[in-house]
């Protein structure tokens, strides 16, 4: 805890950490809000899963492109313009009664316009703190973001049940705009300049840490999305117990991140942390009731934030600073594709086999992620004793002889 307290004493860390947390809060709300909204309008979890998947797919495709544009246009202009478009598009989807194809199309556009807050903030971090505090900061960020998944589901289900799903979506947009403005106007955002990358778009995927983190992030988040849909399908979109279970799941991740996320990262770290996620989900299938699911998903959640810490720390320690924003964006894109895939698969499972089958699908995604981490262990960097800072950008220097 002493390390985390030291982080908050660094000028600018508190505002950047909290503002980006608020700006990213819709990620913990929109999936549930649109699942509830579309299902209540069109009476189909499969249709709701398609709409959520379209939003995630749009953000996944646009993420690497917009992250590179931050180096060319600057963080502030890009983030602000995308924030406005996303807020307007997603609000229209909630306010007006639209057909499923139109919702899918607008969801894709809104997803494409979603501002790349996560790549931006993870690019800022190495310039914000000393190298020795970078890995703890990644851990704190991965742990703090679980607040999104603790408060978000409970808040969304409460608003949707008590007021309406339209209000739930608009509340998420209020967080996006308010948090986005708070983050964009932060002095740290204006001070960081991202050098133009010498690689072509997608060139960073040739580096093993990036492609491994992207693929593992995809299946890991597909697991979370399937759990989310499965819990909502099991308890119904009018039962606040669904939100509480998902909040407990995220609370486990928060506890795990604060307890273990700052530990030195070895090649085996990812596999060990994912085993906890997998075992908890497998146990959840035994007795799918409120108390048992709360216990097993809390256990599963203990490995989530520490596993995410490994994904981002591996990239930070192996890539040049000019390449980190795009690298983080590809990881984010993988996670967003995973969110869409998990929601779509879970929606189909619920409609055809029942809600418990969605949790089983989440367990399969967790097994695939664990096996992937085991197979790719040989390409994972050993960061024990490393500061984890990005590699410096170097180039030829002209000399006079």
């Amino acid at each position: 805890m002493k390390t985390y307290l030291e982080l908050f004493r660094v000028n600018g860390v508190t505002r950047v950490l909290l503002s980006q947390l608020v700006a990213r809060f819709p990620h913990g709300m929109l999936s549930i809000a649109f699942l509830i909204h579309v299902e209540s309008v069109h009476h189909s979890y499969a249709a709701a899963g398609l709409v959520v998947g379209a939003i995630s797919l749009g953000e996944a495709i646009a993420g690497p492109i917009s992250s590179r544009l931050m180096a060319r246009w600057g963080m502030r202009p890009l983030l602000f313009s995308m924030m406005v478009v996303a807020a307007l598009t997603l609000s229209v989807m909630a306010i007006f009664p639209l057909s499923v194809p139109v919702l899918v199309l607008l969801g894709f556009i809104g997803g494409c316009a979603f501002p790349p807050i996560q790549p931006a903030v993870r690019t800022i971090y190495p310039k914000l703190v000393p190298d020795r505090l970078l890995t703890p900061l990644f851990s704190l960020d991965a742990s703090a973001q679980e607040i999104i998944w603790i408060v978000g589901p409970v808040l969304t289900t409460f608003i949707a049940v008590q007021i309406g799903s339209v209000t739930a979506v608009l509340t998420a947009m209020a967080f996006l705009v308010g948090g986005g403005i708070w983050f964009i106007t932060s002095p740290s955002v204006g001070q960081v300049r991202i050098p133009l990358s010498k690689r072509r778009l997608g060139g960073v995927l040739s580096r093993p840490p990036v492609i491994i983190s992207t693929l593992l992030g995809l299946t890991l988040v597909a697991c979370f999305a399937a759990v989310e849909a499965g819990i909502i399908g099991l308890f119904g979109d009018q039962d606040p117990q669904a939100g509480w279970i998902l909040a407990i799941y995220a609370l486990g991740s928060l506890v795990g991140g604060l307890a273990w996320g700052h530990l030195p990262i070895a090649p085996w770290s990812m596999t060990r942390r994912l085993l906890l996620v997998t075992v908890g989900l497998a146990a959840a299938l035994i007795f799918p009731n409120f108390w048992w699911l709360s216990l097993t998903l809390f256990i599963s959640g203990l490995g989530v934030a520490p596993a995410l810490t490994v994904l981002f720390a591996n990239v930070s320690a192996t890539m040049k600073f000019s390449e980190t924003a795009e690298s983080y964006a590809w990881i984010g894109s993988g996670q967003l594709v995973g969110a869409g895939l998990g929601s779509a698969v879970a929606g189909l499972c619920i409609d055809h086999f029942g809600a418990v089958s969605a949790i089983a699908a989440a367990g399969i995604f967790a097994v695939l992620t664990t096996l992937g981490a085991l197979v790719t262990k040989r390409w994972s960097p050993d960061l024990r004793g490393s500061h984890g800072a990005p590699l410096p950008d170097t180039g030829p220097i002209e000399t006079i002889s």
Side-chain angles (χ1 to χ4, degrees):
M1 293 304 295
K2 184 185 296 184
T3 303
Y4 295 132
L5 291 175
E6 187 178 355
L7 277 172
F8 283 114
R9 296 191 188 102
V10 177
N11 185 40
V13 167
T14 302
R15 176 169 178 173
V16 168
L17 185 65
L18 294 180
S19 62
Q20 62 91 22
L21 198 65
V22 175
R24 290 164 56 197
F25 214 82
H27 285 105
M29 301 180 68
L30 284 177
S31 294
I32 295 179
F34 274 113
L35 278 172
I36 295 174
H37 180 69
V38 177
E39 195 281 330
S40 65
V41 173
H42 296 282
H43 311 291
S44 171
Y45 278 107
L50 286 174
V51 173
V52 173
I55 296 172
S56 300
L57 180 62
E59 190 175 356
I61 292 174
I65 300 172
S66 60
S67 295
R68 284 181 70 98
L69 289 176
M70 284 194 295
R72 188 174 299 277
W73 295 353
M75 284 189 185
R76 282 176 169 165
L78 182 75
L79 293 176
F80 182 80
S81 58
M82 294 183 70
M83 176 190 70
V84 171
V85 175
L88 290 175
T89 304
L90 296 174
S91 296
V92 166
M93 291 173 61
I95 295 172
F96 298 99
L98 304 171
S99 65
V100 173
V102 174
L103 286 172
V104 170
L105 176 61
L106 289 178
F108 179 77
I109 295 172
C112 286
F114 219 88
I117 300 291
Q118 181 170 282
V121 73
R122 295 188 189 279
T123 302
I124 291 172
Y125 282 160
K127 300 298 183 181
L128 200 58
V129 299
D131 290 348
R132 62 184 178 81
L133 294 177
L134 187 55
T135 297
L137 181 55
F138 279 127
S139 173
L140 181 62
D141 180 275
S143 302
Q145 75 177 359
E146 294 308 321
I147 296 173
I148 298 172
W149 307 105
I150 294 172
V151 180
V154 177
L155 179 62
T156 303
T157 52
F158 176 81
I159 294 174
V161 170
Q162 299 299 324
I163 305 176
S165 57
V166 173
T167 305
V169 175
L170 296 181
T171 301
M173 293 301 95
F175 277 109
L176 173 63
V177 174
I181 292 174
W182 188 18
F183 175 73
I184 292 168
T185 57
S186 172
S188 300
V189 175
Q191 292 168 0
V192 174
R193 295 289 184 270
I194 304 175
L196 290 173
S197 176
K198 296 180 176 63
R199 292 176 181 261
R200 57 177 174 79
L201 178 65
V204 296
L205 291 174
S206 64
R207 299 294 300 275
V210 178
I211 189 64
I212 290 171
S213 294
T214 299
L215 294 176
L216 294 183
L218 187 156
T219 52
L220 184 59
V221 173
C223 164
F224 307 156
V227 168
E228 184 177 272
I231 295 299
I232 293 174
L234 189 64
F235 289 91
D237 55 23
Q238 300 298 313
D239 192 336
Q241 284 187 325
W244 285 112
I245 291 177
L246 294 174
I248 292 170
Y249 187 27
L251 178 62
S253 179
L254 175 62
V255 172
L258 293 176
W260 307 319
H262 65 286
L263 297 178
I265 295 173
W268 277 100
S269 295
M270 189 68 177
T271 305
R272 286 198 298 261
R273 299 172 189 199
L274 288 171
L275 279 173
L276 195 59
V277 176
T278 305
V279 170
L281 283 174
L285 295 170
I286 300 175
F287 303 110
N289 58 59
F290 176 82
W291 294 108
W292 181 252
L293 287 170
S294 297
L295 174 62
T296 54
L297 290 183
F298 178 83
I299 294 171
S300 177
L302 289 172
V304 171
L308 292 173
T309 299
V310 175
L311 294 181
F312 290 107
N314 284 351
V315 168
S316 175
T318 55
M319 301 299 293
K320 293 181 179 180
F321 178 67
S322 62
E323 299 169 340
T324 54
E326 184 186 348
S327 300
Y328 294 137
W330 281 111
I331 296 175
S333 293
Q335 293 176 352
L336 290 163
V337 170
L341 176 64
S343 295
V345 169
L348 292 171
C349 287
I350 293 170
D351 282 351
H352 291 88
F353 306 108
V356 176
S357 66
I359 301 176
I364 294 174
F365 281 124
V367 170
L368 291 174
T369 310
T370 305
L371 291 176
L374 180 62
V375 171
T376 58
K377 178 183 70 68
R378 57 185 289 189
W379 294 286
S380 299
D382 189 343
L383 302 183
R384 289 172 292 185
S386 170
H387 53 64
L391 303 174
D393 285 276
T394 57
I397 302 175
E398 293 185 4
T399 59
I400 300 176
S401 58

